[in-house]
């Protein structure tokens, strides 16, 4: 997963999260945006299940907001302090309580201020023509690791009535209110509202763009539905369906994705195979995203998602398109280090060497066994490499697993 902008690696980590627990934290959000003043005012109530409550619970919020009230139930000590971790210019909200706790913990935060970001090119927009909010703008109090998933109900005011609103989950408008309800867990509450957006849909995929006849949107629409169909045929129903892609009109070209949700800017001339691969990779994260991002196990998200995406390229565009993509990865992986035994890995290993080794594994055990392996793992995605290896032994035997692990350590 490639996510540009000031959060850089931190947001890359957000795509590689621990598996969602049975009970997730829940947010109730009431917010008002002012497009003339570029400001935000919000009241956010967080409910943390008892199983998730720690002795110390830290959240971060953008440093430009003034927190006017903090209330916690049951009794807990709550304080706000400036912080430069994990990024500069934030404020930390800390709740301290006795552990273990048998009851859910609730925190209500009321704050307001200028909506800004930590980047020279802001990763948000609040204008009469475009409202774009995401984790990059730190407009909600989120866990300081950027890795805690939550469900959400939101009531947002101030969105001009002629802007088309796109978000995850259920979106509806009533008078001056935009209501968003998301029952699946994610690390963010991303929102786009833009004038002139048109909608096209196919096979569980929705595309929003001002000009659906432009080359980019035509390519996204040509592959969006088939990608969903391809992945679901392999791994089962996609969480968060329908998946949505929004093409926004702004100068900043950065894009980002969340579960079943992609935002990107107009323009771009990437070849069709590259566009198809990228979209398939991002959608594959609906299944392949449970590992700890700060460890060597991150290949379980990125390398597998890339392998799956390249398999879609082959299915949609033919063996020659796949071979061309593999040739590029062989060149990029020429100086790559090991995927295992060397700590956190970089692009050369995760997006290039890793998928190449998975194709080598496919050749060794056969495509039918490879498909069986990943289909089984997708139901309970592995958190650590040992879980993958155990499943591989069960499907193909100890020798292929031994050879594969040895290659991963070279």
């Amino acid at each position: 997963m490639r996510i540009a902008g000031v959060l850089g690696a931190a947001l890359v980590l957000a795509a590689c999260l621990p598996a969602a627990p049975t009970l997730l934290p829940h947010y109730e959000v009431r917010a008002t945006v002012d497009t003339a003043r570029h400001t935000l005012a919000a009241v956010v109530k967080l409910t943390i299940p008892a199983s998730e409550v720690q002795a110390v619970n830290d959240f971060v919020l953008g440093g430009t907001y003034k927190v006017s009230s903090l209330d916690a139930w049951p009794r807990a000590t709550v304080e706000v302090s400036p912080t430069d971790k994990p990024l500069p210019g934030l404020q930390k909200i800390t709740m301290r309580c006795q552990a273990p706790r048998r009851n859910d913990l609730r925190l209500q935060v009321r704050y307001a201020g200028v909506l800004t970001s930590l980047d020279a090119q802001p990763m948000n927009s609040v204008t009469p023509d475009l409202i774009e909010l995401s984790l990059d703008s730190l407009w909600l109090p989120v866990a300081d690791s950027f890795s805690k998933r939550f469900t959400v109900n939101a009531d947002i005011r101030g969105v001009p009535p002629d802007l088309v609103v796109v978000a995850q989950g259920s979106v509806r408008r009533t008078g001056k209110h935009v209501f968003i309800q998301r029952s699946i867990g994610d690390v963010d509450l991303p929102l786009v509202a833009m004038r002139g957006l048109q909608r096209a849909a196919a096979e569980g995929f929705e595309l929003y763009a001002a000009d659906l006849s432009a080359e980019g949107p035509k390519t996204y629409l040509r592959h969006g539905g088939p990608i969903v169909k391809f992945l679901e045929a392999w791994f089962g129903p996609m969480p968060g369906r329908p998946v949505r892609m929004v093409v926004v009109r702004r100068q900043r070209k950065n894009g980002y994705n969340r579960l079943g949700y992609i935002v990107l800017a107009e323009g771009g001339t990437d070849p069709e195979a590259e566009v198809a691969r990228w979209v398939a990779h991002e959608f594959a994260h609906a299944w392949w995203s449970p590992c700890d991002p700060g460890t060597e196990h991150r290949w379980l998200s990125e390398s597998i998602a890339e392998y799956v995406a390249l398999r879609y390229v082959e299915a949609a565009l033919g063996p020659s398109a796949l071979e061309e993509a593999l040739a590029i990865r062989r060149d990029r992986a020429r100086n790559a280090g090991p995927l295992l035994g060397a700590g956190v890995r970089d692009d050369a290993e995760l997006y290039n060497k890793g998928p190449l080794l998975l194709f080598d594994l496919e050749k060794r055990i056969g495509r039918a066994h490879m498909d069986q392996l990943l289909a089984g793992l997708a139901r309970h995605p592995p958190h650590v490499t040992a879980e993958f290896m155990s499943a591989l032994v069960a499907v193909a035997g100890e020798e292929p697993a031994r050879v594969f692990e040895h290659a991963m350590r070279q």
Side-chain angles (χ1 to χ4, degrees), residues 55 184 193 195 208 222-223 287 304 355:
I184 59 171
R195 181 173 288 105
Y208 295 81
R222 186 160 56 248
H223 287 283
W287 294 273
I304 295 179

Side-chain angles (χ1 to χ4, degrees), residues 18 50 110 159 165 179 223 304 378:
R110 186 183 299 270
V159 179
V165 180
F179 295 100
H223 287 283
I304 295 179

Side-chain angles (χ1 to χ4, degrees), residues 149 168-169 183-185 202-206 223-245 257-262 278-289 305 308 312 378-379:
R149 297 186 183 194
Q168 298 165 302
S183 59
I184 59 171
E203 301 179 277
F205 171 75
E206 296 180 358
H223 287 283
I227 289 171
V228 173
K229 185 176 181 179
F230 175 84
L231 295 174
E232 290 190 329
W234 195 349
F235 305 131
M238 174 178 278
R241 203 174 194 260
V243 296
R244 297 183 174 118
M245 177 181 287
N257 75 286
R258 302 293 181 261
L259 184 61
Y261 184 84
I262 294 178
W278 173 71
V279 175
H281 178 109
E282 302 305 344
F283 287 177
H285 278 304
W287 294 273
W288 305 105
S289 63
V308 168
Y312 171 76
R379 291 192 290 271

Side-chain angles (χ1 to χ4, degrees), residues 313-338:
V313 169
E314 179 188 29
L317 301 174
S320 61
L322 172 62
E323 183 52 41
E324 182 177 345
L326 292 179
I328 293 172
R329 278 148 188 81
R330 292 187 192 103
D331 183 63
R332 293 174 178 170
R334 197 176 306 277
N335 297 316

